[in-house]
Amino acid sequence: MALVDRHDLAWGTSSRSSRLVHGGLRYLEQGRLGLVFESLRERRQLLALAPHLVRPQPFVLPVHRGDRVPRWKLEIGMWLYDILAWRGNLPRHRRLGKRGVLNLEPLLRERDLVGGALYYDAQCDDARLVIAAARAAAQRRAAIANWTRVTRLHAVDGRIAKAELEDMLTGELGQVSFRAVVNATGPWTDEVRALEDPGNHPILRPTKGVHILFRRERLGHQHAITFTSPIDGRVMFVLPWGALSYVGTTDTDTADGPEDVRTTTEDVHYLLRSVNALFPSAHLTEEDVTGVWAGLRPLLRGPEGAGPSAVSREHRIDRGPGGMWTIAGGKLTTWRSMASELMDEIGRALGQPRETRAAAHAASAREPLPGGESPTLAGFQELAEAAGLPAPTATHLVRHYGAETAAILNLLRDDPTLAQPIHPAHPAIGAEVVHAARREFAMSVDDVLARRVHLAWETSDQGVAAAAIVAELLGTELDWSTEHRQEAAAAYREAARDRYGWVPPGH
Ligand SMILES: Cc1cc2nc3c(=O)[nH]c(=O)nc-3n(C[C@H](O)[C@H](O)[C@H](O)COP(=O)(O)OP(=O)(O)OC[C@H]3O[C@@H](n4cnc5c(N)ncnc54)[C@H](O)[C@@H]3O)c2cc1C
């Protein structure tokens, strides 16, 4: 088994999500009970398989007079959500009066507030979840090659049996042969389907979703908040992320492709207006935005004329004329069940016995992802602090590596200088860069700073102050020349602000 990715793992939509593993309350409104049930089952599984990356998150949902979803409807929805989460591992919702909402979140708009609910979902580290899934595959002997693009597909006797590959970092070309090939390329799905059959009709209707980041103290909230935008009644979130908060998302049709999808001033203004109406004392402006991300939802085409938010979140599995499997649509939350369903179909087509397929399905629901081997993580925090690391660094390690925190501590035993922070305003340390190169397929400074340790979004300079040290540590692991190290750091410094920061027009 082999996985190739034209960029880094999770470079696409999977590092630009709302970072929720959730049933999707709003799908209840659309009557998509099957999707909510499947998502809540997956939420339960992922909380158990990767407790360091998928964490319980309490949400406050305030209801104001005139909101699109009235209180009675919310209450029915909440009961249904609890019922569909049957035998779940999160607490049930609690109904709140106006006082109850304000006790939990005093800075929410009091005017017209009539009550609300406290409920639970899960928040995840989207990019690291993808990397963990790829590592779990590698542990079962899959070959993983990021920065490797499929450029052409070749048929033998009418069946696609070979792919031409390009190493995107070196330009080197190669070929692989296979018995079955899967196109699981999110917003690139139609582009890759065209490699099999240029006459294929598009099956996707991608929409753009943007998030903006602030310092959490600017809003002063403790919980995640679910609310409906006063501008258009869409469901949105304010989500805590350590000392930061992010707000999202937009949902608009776009002509941007997946390589160049960008946050615009209109996106930022829409999000600012929505959140300022919810937190009237915050007066957030563009100057407060410390970071942004924009992604394309790889949504299946719906009926002509349907609005972006009404497009289906379900997935679909197709087989092209040359036999290539395509899996499209769906959500991050349901990745495991989508993959399992696909592998079952492929196994059947290849004549695999039913028991083998059932065993693989059961294993994916049972075996923890790397770092998720221990359900309780407190011991690793103590271990890290006992190794002399400050408490914030220990917490950061446990949230990123779970039970594999021990692997990071082992690196420190061999080289204590790796305990040094890589950035003056962030707890990440040098050992993580070494770990990223040795175990997590990191190939560039951006791979480390964006999708492995997240300084790109978690520091006000987008991690630029760490670029040189990351290039140095990565260069040692990957055998880079001095010149290459300097170029790699400079390339990151040049691109980071534009890619991850927000520069208000005129600055
Ligand atoms: C704003 C936003 C918020 C979201 N929030 C949530 C959420 O909170 N919870 C949730 O469950 N879901 C959420 N989603 C949906 C979820 O993020 C996506 O469904 C999921 O990440 C899609 O993953 P993917 O692997 O299909 O696509 P991607 O993550 O985009 O991966 C596709 C990969 O294919 C590779 N590729 C493309 N072409 C080639 C080629 N020729 N050769 C080799 N590789 C190739 C790319 O490099 C890329 O890495 C959100 C989506 C958006 C946009």
Side-chain angles (χ1 to χ4, degrees):
M1 183 115 58
L3 166 75
V4 296
D5 194 308
R6 136 187 205 164
H7 295 281
D8 184 22
L9 300 169
W11 184 94
T13 306
S14 299
S15 58
R16 307 165 195 226
S17 77
S18 300
R19 305 178 179 169
L20 294 177
V21 166
H22 62 156
L25 260 182
R26 73 190 180 85
Y27 307 131
L28 281 183
E29 257 193 296
Q30 301 164 352
R32 298 197 165 120
L33 298 193
L35 177 63
V36 178
F37 180 73
E38 180 192 9
S39 303
L40 289 171
R41 186 195 61 211
E42 288 306 303
R43 183 186 76 177
R44 183 179 71 229
Q45 305 268 28
L46 292 175
L47 280 161
L49 299 180
H52 57 311
L53 299 176
V54 182
R55 298 179 284 262
Q57 174 63 51
F59 283 72
V60 170
L61 197 163
V63 179
H64 291 88
R65 201 166 292 118
D67 274 356
R68 189 177 50 76
V69 181
R71 218 170 152 206
W72 63 266
K73 201 167 169 189
L74 171 71
E75 191 52 21
I76 296 173
M78 285 288 158
W79 277 109
L80 204 52
Y81 207 58
D82 284 341
I83 292 167
L84 291 171
W86 184 68
R87 293 173 75 184
N89 39 9
L90 290 179
R92 285 162 183 257
H93 88 279
R94 190 150 58 83
R95 188 181 175 170
L96 299 172
K98 176 177 172 174
R99 263 304 115 216
V101 171
L102 291 173
N103 283 343
L104 293 177
E105 290 298 341
L107 298 179
L108 283 176
R109 174 160 64 92
E110 189 174 351
R111 187 167 44 85
D112 292 331
L113 182 65
V114 289
L118 172 72
Y119 74 99
Y120 288 79
D121 247 321
Q123 192 179 28
C124 74
D125 184 328
D126 54 6
R128 293 196 62 82
L129 190 60
V130 172
I131 293 162
R135 289 190 54 212
Q139 286 170 356
R140 286 158 189 76
R141 292 203 294 278
I144 310 287
N146 51 351
W147 297 108
T148 304
R149 175 183 178 189
V150 174
T151 54
R152 292 183 73 175
L153 295 169
H154 294 290
V156 176
D157 299 331
R159 284 264 160 265
I160 301 289
K162 276 186 191 163
E164 283 180 29
L165 304 176
E166 179 184 0
D167 183 324
M168 301 301 280
L169 301 178
T170 63
E172 217 174 299
L173 302 175
Q175 255 198 9
V176 275
S177 304
F178 37 73
R179 288 174 67 203
V181 64
V182 172
N183 169 15
T185 53
W188 289 263
T189 297
D190 285 321
E191 186 182 314
V192 174
R193 285 174 72 245
L195 296 179
E196 180 188 32
D197 176 6
N200 261 329
H201 291 296
I203 57 169
L204 288 193
R205 173 188 172 176
T207 67
K208 181 172 76 163
V210 167
H211 290 84
I212 54 178
L213 270 165
F214 312 97
R215 290 198 325 279
R216 174 135 59 126
E217 64 195 27
R218 290 290 288 106
L219 291 178
H221 66 110
Q222 298 300 318
H223 305 77
I225 318 276
T226 305
F227 69 109
T228 48
S229 166
I231 300 172
D232 54 11
R234 286 189 45 255
V235 175
M236 296 177 66
F237 302 104
V238 178
L239 293 150
W241 191 260
L244 300 170
S245 297
Y246 58 96
V247 177
T249 168
T250 62
D251 195 357
T252 49
D253 285 319
T254 179
D256 288 353
E259 300 290 329
D260 50 21
V261 54
R262 282 272 182 279
T263 303
T264 63
T265 306
E266 292 76 56
D267 297 326
V268 172
H269 286 178
Y270 168 82
L271 294 170
L272 284 173
R273 277 181 61 201
S274 300
V275 75
N276 277 331
L278 185 71
F279 288 93
S281 57
H283 303 297
L284 291 172
T285 69
E286 282 185 70
E287 311 286 335
D288 292 304
V289 178
T290 62
V292 296
W293 63 89
L296 284 187
R297 293 181 185 81
L299 301 180
L300 296 173
R301 255 167 199 264
E304 279 307 312
S309 293
V311 178
S312 170
R313 265 60 176 171
E314 322 267 336
H315 69 272
R316 126 177 192 190
I317 296 173
D318 271 347
R319 209 159 179 205
M324 178 168 74
W325 303 85
T326 290
I327 183 158
K331 307 160 54 181
L332 194 66
T333 302
T334 50
W335 66 270
R336 195 202 60 88
S337 60
M338 287 167 66
S340 189
E341 185 185 328
L342 173 72
M343 291 311 287
D344 192 61
E345 284 207 27
I346 296 176
R348 201 173 329 138
L350 294 180
Q352 238 178 24
R354 185 213 280 252
E355 306 76 60
T356 313
R357 290 184 276 125
H361 176 79
S364 82
R366 200 181 49 233
E367 290 178 20
L369 293 175
E373 294 82 358
S374 167
T376 52
L377 298 170
F380 295 98
Q381 171 91 19
E382 283 166 27
L383 210 59
E385 290 186 40
L389 293 172
T393 302
T395 306
H396 160 85
L397 292 181
V398 171
R399 286 172 75 92
H400 283 64
Y401 307 97
E404 284 199 332
T405 299
I408 301 279
L409 300 180
N410 283 342
L411 292 173
L412 301 185
R413 210 165 300 141
D414 295 342
D415 180 357
T417 65
L418 293 176
Q420 291 301 317
I422 55 173
H423 189 285
H426 196 277
I429 57 172
E432 294 176 67
V433 184
V434 175
H435 182 82
R438 289 188 192 169
R439 296 210 189 182
E440 296 181 343
F441 317 106
M443 306 288 287
S444 75
V445 174
D446 187 74
D447 292 356
V448 173
L449 288 176
R451 289 163 298 281
R452 308 300 185 284
V453 292
H454 311 321
L455 270 71
W457 289 290
E458 293 177 4
T459 59
S460 57
D461 69 345
Q462 281 73 52
V464 159
I469 179 74
V470 170
E472 200 49 46
L473 290 166
L474 207 53
T476 305
E477 289 301 313
L478 302 179
D479 215 8
W480 290 351
S481 66
T482 309
E483 201 185 9
H484 188 150
R485 291 173 202 209
Q486 285 164 356
E487 282 168 7
Y492 184 80
R493 278 195 290 266
E494 212 160 283
R497 185 120 196 258
D498 184 40
R499 205 174 285 163
Y500 307 114
W502 178 245
V503 188
H507 282 63

